[in-house]
Each structure stands twice: as C-alpha cells, then as structure tokens.
Amino acid sequence: MLTDILNERNHHSDRREALFIGLAFTFLTLLAASLSLSTAARTGRWDGLGDRWAHWLILPIWLAGYFLLRRGLGRLNFVRDPLLLPIPMLFMGWGLLTIWRLDPGFGLRQSGWFMLAICCLYFLLAYGRDLGWIRRYRYLWITLGLFLMALTLFLGTHPGGGSPRLWLGCCGFYFQPSEALRLLLVAFLAAFLADRLPFKAFAQGTWQLQAWLPLLFIWLLSFSLLVVQRDLGTGMLFLALLTMLLYLVLDRWEIIAIATVLGFAGGVLGFYLFDVVNVRVAAWLNPFADPLGGSYQIVQSLITAASGGLFGRGLGLGSPGFVPAIHTDFIFTAIVEEHGLLAGLVMIGLWGIWLSRIMSSASRQREPFAALLTAGLGFSLGLQAMLIIGGNLRVFPLVGITLPFTSYGGSSLLVSCLSLGMLLLLNHGQDISTPFRAPLLRLHSGMVIAIGFLAVFLGWWTLVDAPELKARDDNPRKAVDSRYSLRGSIVDRNGQLLAESSGSVGSYVRSYPEPAAAPLVGYDLFPYGQAGLEESLDGILRGVERQNEWRIAWSEILRGVSPTGLDVRLTLDMELQRHAMELLSNQRGAIILLDANSGELLSAASAPSYDANSLEDQWSDLISDPNSPLLNRALQGNYQPGLALAPFIIAWSLENQWISMETPVKDLNRSLAIDGEEITCATPPSGLNNPDYGDVLIYSCPGPIRDLVQEFGIEAYIQTVNQFGFATPVSPESVEGNVADQQISLNAGFEMAAIGQSTLTVTPVQVAQALATLIGDGTRPELQIVDAIRGEGGQWERYADTDLPLALILPETSTEIRSSQGGEDQFSYMASALAGEPLGWFLGGTRGIGGDFAVVVVLENGSPVKAAEVGTALLERVRARSLP
C-alpha cells in the first residue's frame, strides 16, 4: 500500500516536471524563432531571413540533456520537487540562446560545456547517490581545491591574454579553480559542522577553540588565496557562506554582526589597497562621474537595461554588445534589453521560487549534514545570482562573478550543474523538521526581501529613470538606430537641404550638404555623439516624437528600431547664413539675425566652425583646438555684455519716465577703470556742448550709464535684466543666466554691474531677442528656429503655435530709441566689454518693406568698429533682398 502511494506521488511529480519542461521548451523555441527572424525584421527585407539558424542546434541538445537527466533521476525512485530541475534547465537554455546571439563562437563553446556539464550531472545522479563520499573525504576534496587554486599563482592565465590570471588552461581549454573551490568549501563546511562540532554545547554558550581551528584554517587559507589574486568578489561570497552556515548552527545574531563588520573592513582595505576595488566602488557610488572611464561598464549596463523597457526590443534586435563582457558578468542586462522588464522580473522571480524550494528541502532533512549541505548549496548559488544581478543594477559594487546556469563560463556551468546534482540527490521529499529550522526560515526571509529589492531596482532603471538614461549622449544605440531607421532630413526655410540620411537599411549614413549651417544644425555621428539641432531635435528626427504612439511601439517591437523620422524645416535662410559665415571668416565670434516681429532665426553664424562631413578625420584636432570650433557661439557662447546693456537700460528708464533722450548728462567722455584697464566711449565724441542720452547711445559711453544705474538703484537694474530676458534661456541650447549670481555681484561691485562687467553673462541670441523689442514695436517675440515638420509622404505642418509677442515697452519708447540714431527705420549701436580680452559688440536693425530685422554681432578680441562693419554688411544684404 505504501509503495503504491509513493509510486503515485512520484508519477504525479514526474507529470508536473514534464509540464514545466514543456513550457520551458516552448519558450526557448519561440526565442530561437525570434532570433532567426531578427535580421529580416530589423532590415524589413526577407532576404535577411536565414542568416541566423545555427543556434537551433541548442534545442535538440537541451532536450537530449533533459531526457538524459530524467533517466538518471529515474534510478533514484523517490519523490522529488517538480521545479528543482526545470528552472535551472530553463536558465541554461535561456543563457545558451543569449550567448549564441551575442557571439556565435562563444555560443558554440558554451554548448560544448553544457554537454559536458550534463554528462557529469548524469553520472553524479546515476552513481553518486550516497553523498557520504563527500563527507568522509572532505579534507581530501578541500585540499585538492586549494591546491588547484594555489597553482594559479604560478601557472595562472587569462583566456583573453590579460589579467586577472585566475584560470588554469592549456590548448584552448580553461578552468577557473575558484568556482570548484566554492563548491568544495560548502561541502567541507557542511561536513565539518555536522561531524565535529557539539551543537548542544554551542547552544548553551560553551566555546571550544580547538574545535574551530581546522575550520578557521581552511577558510582563512581559501580567503587568503583569493585576496592574493585580487578576486575579492569571490572572497566576499566565501565570507557570506561561512557566516550563513555558522548562523544556522549557532543561531546567534552576533555571527552576522561580526561578519558584517569584517566585510565592511575588508571592503575599506580593498578600496585603498587594490586599484580594481577602488574603481568598482567609485563606479558604484557615482557611476556618472566617469562614464567613459572606470564607470563605463556600469553606465552602459544601466542604459542597456533602460533600453529594454517593459517588453524588450526582441532577441537579436537590441544592442547589448556595447557593454564589455556582456556574455559573462552582464548577461542579465542583455536579457532585460531584449526581453524587457517583464522577463527580468520573471528571471528574478524564478530564482526566488527555486531558492524557496531548496530552503524547504533543507528544512525537511533529518541529518544535519544533509540539511547544512542543501542550505549551503542553495545559499551559494542564490547569493552569487543576487550579487551579480545587483551589480548589474548598481545595487552593489560589481564583484566579477557569473550568473549561475546562465552566463558564459564553462567552469561556472560545470560547478553549478554539480551543485544542482547534489541538491537533487538530497531532495528526498521527507517531512521531517531539521534542527536548524528557525534560523533557516529567517535567512530565507532575508533572501526573499533581497530579491524584492532587486525587482524594485530593476523597475526603477527600466521605467522610472529610463527616459533620462536613454537620452544620454553616451548611449550608442542612437547611432545604431540611425543606421537601420531612416532619419529625417533638415532643410532651410526655402527647402535647401542641410542634413540627410542616404544608403540602405543597416548602412544609412548622415551627410551635410551645407557646411556653413554646421553651427546650428550640428552633427549626428557615432562615436562622437550629437550636437546642435541634431541633438535637441533627435526625438523628432528619429521618429519617436510627434508621431502616433502605436506606430512607434509597433516599429520598436517588430523591428527593434524607431520608425522613419520626420523631416524638419527651419526658419534659417541659407543664403544669409552663408554670407554671415563669410563675414566671420578668420575671426572668432558670432552673428545672430532675427526677424524682429516673428522671432524667426534667419542666421546663426559662429566662427571658427567645422565641416560635419569631415569630423572623423578632424575630431582630435577639433577637440584640442583652443579656439573651440565645436562651440556654437551664437547660441551657447557666454559673453560679458559690457555696454551692450546700455540701450536696454536707457529704454527701461524711458519707459518709467525717469529720463528722456534729451536729458543732459555729465562728463560724457570720461573713462572707467576695470582691473587696471580703461574703458571709454566706443567712438570718441567731439564738439558737443550739451550732451544727452541720445549722445550716450551714439558714442556708447560708460560714465553716464553707470551714473544712471546708480541713481535709480539696484532694483531698477535687476528689473531691466529680467524684463529683457537676460536671466532666462531662449532656446534649448542657450546657457541660462543667473539672477542670484547677479545680485551677489551687485553687492560686491555695483559700478561694474552697471556697465555689464559683473558675473552676468549673455548669449548673442538673448541679446538679439531683446534687441527685437527696440527694432519692432516694443514687443519681444518668441524665438523660432523650427518652422514645420513633415512625416513620410506627408505635408508640412506647423511645428508649434507660438505665443503672442510679449509687450515690454511702449511703441513710442522703441521709436524714441531708434530716432536717437538718426532715423526711425534703422538702428546702429557699438559697444565694448572686457573679459580677459576685449569684446566688440554691434547691435543693429532695419525696418522696411521687407520686414523688421535685428542683428547682433560679437567679436572676441575684436573692436566695436569691426563688429559694426560685419553687422552693417549683413544688414545691407538684407535690405538689398527687400528691394523690389
């Protein structure tokens, strides 16, 4: 009767195990099919179908491996947990497919290791039922492990030819002894604690030091070998294993406290003694401080996880290869990128379920050795998995170990399978309570909480922080996306092509027909990143903004890339842009030309500049050039405004009726000292009997402006700065001014602030937008750079409905300012500033039949007169085009 009941239970367990294996095989088959379809899906052409078929070899090998193990398990004739084998088998199959996808060469090698590991596992199940041989010869096994580990000090090598030299190898075959030592150490600890230590005496608080000496000696020797090899990640894992097994035996919380202190102290010493530990801890604490150096791996790992989103990009459709050692230490993030958050949570959840089953098995063991060995093996594999997943997600510092059953690594796979075999042999399905049940439950609860934390962190990186991570300049997936998905073109207001992508799917390249547009358009080139409008409009040009969300999602799911991008039409006038760039030739500075009424940007010239088509050849020279040719001075250049603020200070004073243009001024021609240098009128006045504020603007004199600001006080000056927009950015790429800094500078030196020589800096485009209020009718228009966008085969549509111009001053005030310059239809003002080197400013404008236009010129180490020549020449071109 009892035999029939056991047979029925065993048969029921076999059916459930077969069901789980069937589900796992179905999942792996779908993954293999998606990998075969990935090339055709990404390119959108069926001729790409069939270039990925070799990985199908994994499925029959995997299935044959399972049936071989099932045969070995059939000889045991006892009821076993139906999940204990299927979950590791799923991990192994999942890992094999992922490794084959990342590198077929490594995939083939790992398949060989898989077959060897399965065969070893089968022989263990078939002929090693009684694990007493481990218990009896524990000193022999641990001595063998230590001996192999010690050999690496003299004969150690690295499969890649570098360091650390933790492997023993010959003829292309490599084995890592630390993997085997971990298994042997667990077996030794379980046997030693079960056979030699008096549990009752410990429970009563009696300590016998001589009983501990062999244990301490073996563990310290193992740990010391790891420290010498700088394999501190495995060393910390050894410390954790010893701590957990001692806690099971002693049930004393002091064990965990002491181990925590020792672990922290060891980490601190390692941080100061070993460069590799220092780099890993620094990368963990602040990975974004050095994203291209010591933190490159972890930053790219986080970007990889973030790129997966909820459902992933699809097997073969992601770009996990940008993470170094992705197939070993970072395979979890590769899985998350291509299968998504849900798959990552499934993997973490399966680890939690599997570990719970092992802990349940340990709690039902009659023999202390069986209970300790089961728990130790479970802790060993579980801690290893949590440490590497946590390292991938920046929960812990990177420890340089593999994800059991999944990562590439023959030693790891072989040892993990042997551990699995022991767990299967120990899983008798007994219903007896172990003497370690209470501490075991507490440790199990701690592991469940830790797994929950991993799931939370995974959700944070893939959902909450994902937009910021994916938008980073060092995310190379943008470049991959641009090679497989047609990026939108950029044209000027007249349809002149400024940037386009050409070629075929998988080899699209970006070109720039108008090099003169480089300061504004920028570039999009891997690995140099993006700049200009190519960067700020990247989402639109890549097709992930301003389109139907379902279309975007469908393209990313089906092809793993964004849909065809949108074309962008700028307000830029290429003829005027070319002329402005010519006027700046052989100089350093910037020109901004605006439509004073609409705010449309007609020209944004910056010199020196570059040719975006030649970045690859000139990059090293460009980034080392002290003249900063990659800087867009028109939109990003921070300049001392100097007396360029004077027209706005006078305009605000007129608006508040504090002065009139005829109000007389004193000492028009006097100079002011700035850091040992004198600043005077831009044009020396002569023959003036009763100078007024009109003359101040004509000759650009500093003395009266300083007197005016001092008379009406700090608050009036701050109002001027805020009113004309000098403290707020006016485009996505401009650099924001700071009113708080300005107030500090006023308290420190009010006279300098009055004439624009404080901490306040402005960009040319800010000055141009403020100048538009004086050239127009007292209103400041919203800056417009993008005019319209167009989808594939569609019509041009307005990019954005601009806000109504902001009325800053009365039309009479702007007219009075212009009239002081000799006429209402034009404005011409020169100014200077000192910022280590002299700056020449020109603010000009014209009104007429063709429209109202404002131009701002700034020349570094240049004179106001030269700036005026440049600006006047551009205005003449504008006026000439406006004539009938």
Side-chain angles (χ1 to χ4, degrees):
M1 183 67 177
L2 180 60
T3 302
D4 292 339
I5 294 175
L6 290 176
N7 288 336
E8 177 61 26
R9 291 178 62 187
N10 200 3
H11 182 63
H12 179 67
S13 176
D14 284 345
R15 288 201 308 268
R16 292 180 64 192
E17 182 183 274
L19 173 62
F20 294 135
I21 286 291
L23 292 174
F25 184 76
T26 302
F27 174 72
L28 297 177
T29 302
L30 292 175
L31 291 186
S34 68
L35 183 55
S36 293
L37 293 170
S38 60
T39 301
R42 172 164 278 185
T43 60
R45 299 194 309 265
W46 287 108
D47 57 3
L49 185 64
D51 64 342
R52 286 181 170 178
W53 287 100
H55 62 275
W56 284 94
L57 179 66
I58 292 172
L59 295 182
I61 292 176
W62 184 87
L63 201 58
Y66 166 69
F67 282 117
L68 181 64
L69 296 181
R70 186 178 177 86
R71 181 179 178 181
L73 287 169
R75 299 185 179 186
L76 299 180
N77 195 29
F78 58 69
V79 179
R80 64 182 179 275
D81 192 316
L83 286 176
L84 205 57
L85 178 60
I87 290 178
M89 286 296 296
L90 173 61
F91 288 159
M92 285 187 274
W94 204 346
L96 283 171
L97 281 171
T98 303
I99 295 167
W100 205 298
R101 173 264 180 275
L102 295 170
D103 189 311
F106 285 130
L108 184 61
R109 291 172 63 91
Q110 188 73 352
S111 298
W113 276 105
F114 171 78
M115 291 186 287
L116 176 61
I118 291 296
C119 290
C120 292
L121 177 53
Y122 168 76
F123 281 107
L124 178 62
L125 295 175
Y127 303 106
R129 300 184 192 181
D130 182 9
L131 295 179
W133 52 276
I134 295 178
R135 189 174 187 176
R136 287 191 298 273
Y137 303 111
R138 55 182 177 269
Y139 285 105
L140 175 63
W141 299 123
I142 195 65
T143 301
L144 177 62
L146 291 171
F147 174 74
L148 292 175
M149 190 71 184
L151 280 181
T152 62
L153 300 178
F154 309 99
L155 304 176
T157 185
H158 189 285
S163 59
R165 306 166 72 88
L166 304 178
W167 287 261
L168 295 175
C170 179
C171 308
F173 178 84
Y174 298 95
F175 181 76
Q176 189 172 3
S178 62
E179 294 285 349
L181 182 59
R182 184 174 67 251
L183 172 60
L184 296 174
L185 183 63
V186 170
F188 172 80
L189 292 174
F192 188 90
L193 292 173
D195 286 358
R196 294 285 302 277
L197 297 183
F199 303 132
K200 292 182 180 180
F202 285 147
Q204 297 168 1
T206 303
W207 296 79
Q208 299 175 359
L209 180 59
Q210 63 273 18
W212 288 89
L213 289 179
L215 176 67
L216 293 176
F217 175 77
I218 293 295
W219 182 85
L220 285 174
L221 184 58
S222 304
F223 189 80
S224 298
L225 287 172
L226 293 170
V227 170
V228 171
Q229 289 194 326
R230 301 188 181 185
D231 189 5
L232 298 187
T234 305
M236 288 299 179
L237 181 59
F238 280 19
L239 175 61
L241 289 174
L242 176 64
T243 302
M244 289 186 170
L245 289 175
L246 287 179
Y247 178 72
L248 288 182
V249 171
L250 303 178
D251 195 11
R252 302 283 292 269
W253 65 267
E254 294 92 340
I255 299 296
I256 296 179
I258 293 172
T260 301
V261 173
L262 290 176
F264 180 78
V268 172
L269 287 175
F271 180 82
Y272 289 105
L273 295 178
F274 303 115
D275 292 340
V276 63
V277 179
N278 184 288
V279 170
R280 287 178 175 177
V281 172
W284 171 58
L285 294 174
N286 187 10
F288 305 109
D290 186 21
L292 299 178
S295 302
Y296 181 79
Q297 267 188 310
I298 184 60
V299 170
Q300 291 301 319
S301 174
L302 297 178
I303 294 175
T304 299
S307 300
L310 188 61
F311 300 107
R313 298 169 67 91
L315 187 61
L317 298 179
S319 302
F322 288 112
V323 183
I326 186 70
H327 57 296
T328 54
D329 296 0
F330 291 89
I331 197 168
F332 178 75
T333 52
I335 290 172
V336 172
E337 178 179 7
E338 299 206 320
H339 305 297
L341 168 65
L342 295 181
L345 292 176
V346 166
M347 177 167 278
I348 292 174
L350 287 175
W351 269 107
I353 293 171
W354 192 68
L355 292 173
S356 295
R357 296 283 184 159
I358 294 174
M359 296 304 108
S360 176
S361 175
S363 68
R364 297 194 305 271
Q365 298 291 338
R366 175 187 292 109
E367 291 293 332
F369 170 70
L372 291 174
L373 184 58
T374 301
L377 293 172
F379 287 143
S380 174
L381 294 169
L383 283 173
Q384 185 175 347
M386 286 188 287
L387 285 174
I388 192 59
I389 292 176
N392 287 183
L393 300 176
R394 201 194 154 202
V395 182
F396 317 114
L398 289 172
V399 291
I401 56 179
T402 57
L403 182 60
F405 303 113
T406 310
S407 293
Y408 174 79
S411 308
S412 174
L413 183 62
L414 179 59
V415 171
S416 296
C417 283
L418 292 176
S419 300
L420 173 62
M422 293 181 185
L423 289 170
L424 289 169
L425 291 172
L426 293 167
N427 184 241
H428 299 306
Q430 302 179 40
D431 194 15
I432 301 171
S433 179
T434 181
F436 317 120
R437 186 177 185 84
L440 188 63
L441 289 176
R442 287 192 287 271
L443 288 177
H444 177 218
S445 299
M447 296 188 74
V448 170
I449 293 173
I451 288 174
F453 271 110
L454 293 180
V456 170
F457 270 84
L458 177 61
W460 173 266
W461 296 121
T462 55
L463 293 180
V464 180
D465 210 41
E468 183 176 346
L469 284 170
K470 290 190 292 185
R472 288 179 57 87
D473 292 339
D474 53 356
N475 180 8
R477 285 157 187 80
K478 295 180 181 179
V480 175
D481 207 43
S482 295
R483 294 181 65 84
Y484 284 90
S485 180
L486 190 63
R487 189 174 177 85
S489 298
I490 303 177
V491 299
D492 82 336
R493 65 189 302 116
N494 300 311
Q496 180 82 32
L497 194 61
L498 307 180
E500 67 172 339
S501 293
S502 58
S504 58
V505 179
S507 59
Y508 287 128
V509 293
R510 197 71 166 165
S511 61
Y512 301 90
E514 290 287 351
L520 183 63
V521 173
Y523 55 83
D524 173 51
L525 182 65
F526 180 77
Y528 309 110
Q530 297 175 320
L533 294 178
E534 287 276 33
E535 179 180 15
S536 59
L537 299 177
D538 179 66
I540 294 173
L541 294 168
R542 283 198 298 118
V544 296
E545 294 180 15
R546 301 288 184 118
Q547 294 211 70
N548 183 278
E549 292 184 1
W550 287 106
R551 185 188 181 201
I552 297 172
W554 179 250
S555 179
E556 291 182 344
I557 292 173
L558 185 64
R559 299 179 56 222
V561 295
S562 59
T564 300
L566 303 179
D567 296 332
V568 174
R569 186 174 69 198
L570 307 181
T571 61
L572 187 74
D573 188 311
M574 201 56 224
E575 180 189 349
L576 295 175
Q577 175 72 6
R578 280 194 294 266
H579 188 56
M581 291 294 288
E582 291 172 2
L583 291 171
L584 282 179
S585 60
N586 301 319
Q587 300 184 80
R588 288 186 290 122
I591 300 175
I592 287 286
L593 177 65
L594 288 184
D595 185 311
N597 295 317
S598 65
E600 294 179 353
L601 181 71
L602 302 176
S603 175
S606 174
S609 187
Y610 58 93
D611 184 349
N613 299 301
S614 305
L615 277 182
E616 191 169 355
D617 297 328
Q618 301 177 1
W619 183 257
S620 59
D621 295 332
L622 290 171
I623 61 175
S624 61
D625 192 331
N627 292 320
S628 304
L630 294 174
L631 174 67
N632 181 356
R633 289 167 161 83
L635 298 183
Q636 296 175 308
N638 274 332
Y639 292 105
Q640 201 84 57
L643 287 177
L645 293 179
F648 309 104
I649 293 173
I650 292 177
W652 190 242
S653 299
L654 290 173
E655 185 71 12
N656 287 277
Q657 300 181 356
W658 297 332
I659 62 169
S660 69
M661 295 304 294
E662 292 77 23
T663 301
V665 298
K666 297 183 297 182
D667 299 327
L668 178 66
N669 197 27
R670 71 182 183 274
S671 61
L672 298 179
I674 300 177
D675 295 330
E677 296 195 31
E678 298 288 329
I679 182 170
T680 61
C681 300
T683 303
S686 62
L688 295 178
N689 296 323
N690 298 300
D692 55 23
Y693 281 104
D695 296 318
V696 172
L697 287 183
I698 292 174
Y699 298 105
S700 184
C701 297
I705 296 299
R706 186 198 64 177
D707 296 341
L708 179 62
V709 173
Q710 286 184 322
E711 179 179 357
F712 295 109
I714 293 176
E715 293 301 324
Y717 180 80
I718 294 297
Q719 288 177 14
T720 305
V721 170
N722 288 331
Q723 189 73 4
F724 285 96
F726 294 123
T728 55
V730 293
S731 81
E733 293 190 310
S734 66
V735 180
E736 183 177 354
N738 193 307
V739 178
D741 288 346
Q742 176 64 22
Q743 291 172 332
I744 293 172
S745 72
L746 290 177
N747 294 331
F750 183 55
E751 290 186 358
M752 294 300 100
I755 55 173
Q757 295 288 160
S758 66
T759 56
L760 176 69
T761 57
V762 295
T763 61
V765 71
Q766 282 178 303
V767 179
Q769 192 182 20
L771 179 61
T773 65
L774 305 183
I775 305 303
D777 295 324
T779 58
R780 186 180 67 187
E782 183 180 356
L783 181 69
Q784 294 186 61
I785 299 178
V786 179
D787 175 47
I789 58 175
R790 177 180 63 185
E792 187 177 13
Q795 300 294 320
W796 287 108
E797 298 179 1
R798 187 75 174 166
Y799 174 68
D801 295 327
T802 58
D803 296 333
L804 293 174
L806 178 63
L808 298 184
I809 56 178
L810 295 172
E812 292 81 3
T813 302
S814 60
T815 300
E816 193 172 359
I817 290 288
R818 294 194 304 274
S819 298
S820 68
Q821 302 293 296
E824 296 183 11
D825 296 334
Q826 60 184 6
F827 181 78
S828 178
Y829 175 76
M830 296 183 294
S832 60
L834 292 175
E837 62 179 6
L839 298 175
W841 284 95
F842 173 75
L843 284 61
T846 182
R847 293 167 60 90
I849 299 175
D852 301 342
F853 303 95
V855 65
V856 170
V857 180
V858 60
L859 297 181
E860 301 172 14
N861 200 21
S863 68
V865 175
K866 183 60 178 178
E869 292 176 1
V870 171
T872 301
L874 185 59
L875 286 175
E876 288 176 355
R877 175 64 67 91
V878 172
R879 283 193 288 264
R881 294 202 331 171
S882 302
L883 293 175

